[in-house]
Amino acid sequence: MKKLIVILVLSIVSCTNNISKKAVLTNKKIVIAHRGASGYLPEHTMEAKAMAYAMNPDYIEQDIVLSKDNIPIVIHDIHLESVTDVATKFPNKKRVDGRYYVIDFTLDELKQLNALERFNPKTNKAIYPNRFPLRKSIFKLHTLQQEIELIQGLNKSTGKNIGIYPEIKEPSFHLKEGKDISKIVLKVLKNYGYKTKNDNCILQCFDGNELKRIRNKLNSQLFLVQLMEFKKDEAKLEEISKYADGIGPWYKQIIKGKNKNGNWQISNLVTKAHALNLKVHAYTFRADELGDFKSFDELLNTVLFKANIDGVFTDFSDKVKAFVNKN
């Protein structure tokens, strides 16, 4: 009888521990390295990704655009002139609108460009003047395959398991250009072992119709996040929950300014999303762009804990990890 009681007690303790561990995992605040360590190095360069990896985020983000020869390139925009020296290297390749499109360049041509800290092409001044000096050192563009191999290689050599968080950029533009970017990206992800929600990959997109297509027509079983930008998107949460696993709103859709007592007002977006079993990963948290917040910690505390979002996209993964670890 005593032996039976001991076994029952041990079983209860074991179950309790498992529940506790599950709860911890469920409630974990996710840190996503936005364009890599973009607060410190030019965005979406391999150097920025390696530095981000060393900061131990949960995921590293990849924005994806196709080259002329259908290679997925890691770059934030479909244009090149704000983050490369393309205007100097290929002055005659701009379109009639005066812009240089990634899709007009082969991979070999893109490799000839230097990647730069983001700048305004009209003024030639850096968007964030206190970040990495503009036009210093040498950085290059790279492919999605190269970045995946870097992250997976580091996972192997360090024993960590940092995930990837790719975004398909402007799929309708690509389709008009005769390219099915989603199909190409999904094939690459599958080739590297990212197929289901159990794999360490979250796929995001602003285009709701494309995300539905990815789920229903292209039969992707990945964890999908619907990015959101406008107020009208908030009315579509129930529809989103039918094809996506989470939402990625701008954090100002969640924080609505202060009331007359000086307290931050929080919308019901996160509560509504959670009621539909949608995770909420908000963008973008920058220590050098605080708005009306007195400190980065105040911003993080308001959104992560008062608003109870599940994760953040940040240019400063090290600062967010330190904040999360101490709270």
Side-chain angles (χ1 to χ4, degrees):
M1 185 66 179
K2 287 182 179 180
K3 186 176 180 180
L4 179 59
I5 291 172
V6 170
I7 292 172
L8 287 171
V9 169
L10 289 174
S11 297
I12 291 169
V13 169
S14 176
C15 289
T16 303
N17 285 339
N18 287 335
I19 292 170
S20 177
K21 288 178 183 177
K22 188 175 181 181
V24 169
L25 290 172
T26 302
N27 295 325
K28 180 181 178 182
K29 302 300 184 182
I30 299 299
V31 178
I32 305 130
H34 181 249
R35 310 181 199 175
S38 53
Y40 303 100
L41 284 164
E43 65 183 55
H44 283 319
T45 57
M46 290 287 263
E47 290 84 353
K49 301 309 173 76
M51 185 175 186
Y53 190 97
M55 294 175 177
N56 291 318
D58 298 284
Y59 295 89
I60 298 175
E61 183 194 38
Q62 303 79 33
D63 292 306
I64 305 167
V65 177
L66 290 183
S67 67
K68 186 175 183 178
D69 41 356
N70 296 322
I71 305 298
I73 305 298
V74 180
I75 186 171
H76 183 262
D77 306 310
I78 59 174
H79 312 109
L80 288 159
E81 65 272 7
S82 296
V83 290
T84 73
D85 60 352
V86 65
T88 303
K89 294 275 178 65
F90 294 97
N92 298 322
K93 293 203 70 163
K94 61 185 175 185
R95 291 194 182 187
V96 292
D97 61 2
R99 308 201 74 175
Y100 298 84
Y101 288 75
V102 178
I103 208 166
D104 293 334
F105 293 76
T106 65
L107 177 59
D108 285 342
E109 290 172 327
L110 291 169
K111 285 181 177 179
Q112 297 176 45
L113 302 177
N114 287 330
L116 309 172
E117 181 68 30
R118 181 170 289 274
F119 68 100
N120 183 329
K122 294 180 180 178
T123 64
N124 275 323
K125 292 184 178 179
I127 300 299
Y128 297 98
N130 293 322
R131 295 190 179 184
F132 197 90
L134 187 59
R135 297 184 181 86
K136 297 294 183 181
S137 195
I138 296 176
F139 305 94
K140 295 292 182 178
L141 300 177
H142 62 272
T143 69
L144 175 61
Q145 292 96 318
Q146 285 176 291
E147 183 163 333
I148 290 175
E149 290 180 2
L150 172 70
I151 294 170
Q152 289 190 346
L154 286 169
N155 280 342
K156 181 178 180 181
S157 63
T158 65
K160 299 176 187 176
N161 188 26
I162 291 175
I164 64 171
Y165 206 128
E167 178 186 345
I168 291 177
K169 304 296 291 191
E170 303 204 34
S172 59
F173 166 81
H174 282 88
L175 284 173
K176 286 178 183 176
E177 297 284 329
K179 297 181 185 296
D180 191 338
I181 184 172
S182 296
K183 191 174 286 187
I184 291 170
V185 169
L186 287 172
K187 183 178 180 181
V188 171
L189 295 177
K190 184 177 180 181
N191 288 344
Y192 283 94
Y194 301 111
K195 305 173 187 176
T196 73
K197 293 175 190 177
N198 294 322
D199 301 315
N200 213 4
C201 173
I202 296 177
L203 183 64
Q204 57 179 329
C205 189
F206 274 104
D207 189 326
N209 289 329
E210 187 67 8
L211 214 56
K212 283 184 205 173
R213 175 175 173 260
I214 288 169
R215 176 69 82 209
N216 300 322
K217 292 189 177 179
L218 299 181
N219 300 313
S220 174
Q221 298 305 309
L222 290 171
F223 192 107
L224 302 183
V225 165
Q226 174 67 66
L227 294 170
M228 301 169 63
E229 191 172 10
F230 304 109
K231 177 81 174 173
K232 62 182 181 180
D233 296 329
E234 298 174 27
K236 301 176 181 178
L237 284 182
E238 191 167 347
E239 178 187 352
I240 290 170
S241 69
K242 294 176 182 177
Y243 62 85
D245 306 286
I247 58 171
W250 184 29
Y251 80 86
K252 290 188 178 180
Q253 291 176 277
I254 299 168
I255 306 300
K256 297 295 186 180
K258 290 183 177 180
N259 62 16
K260 61 182 180 180
N261 296 320
N263 297 317
W264 288 104
Q265 297 299 288
I266 298 169
S267 75
N268 58 6
L269 177 60
V270 178
T271 302
K272 285 183 175 179
H274 285 167
L276 292 165
N277 293 317
L278 290 168
K279 293 292 186 182
V280 181
H281 297 165
Y283 65 88
T284 302
F285 294 83
R286 298 180 170 105
D288 53 359
E289 192 176 63
L290 297 175
D292 294 327
F293 287 90
K294 294 177 183 178
S295 68
F296 199 38
D297 279 8
E298 182 192 11
L299 170 57
L300 294 174
N301 184 63
T302 302
V303 182
L304 277 170
F305 297 109
K306 291 184 179 178
N308 194 31
I309 67 171
D310 304 291
V312 300
F313 289 88
T314 180
D315 295 2
F316 298 88
S317 296
D318 56 336
K319 296 181 187 298
V320 179
K321 285 291 288 187
F323 177 83
V324 170
N325 289 341
K326 73 181 181 184
N327 287 279

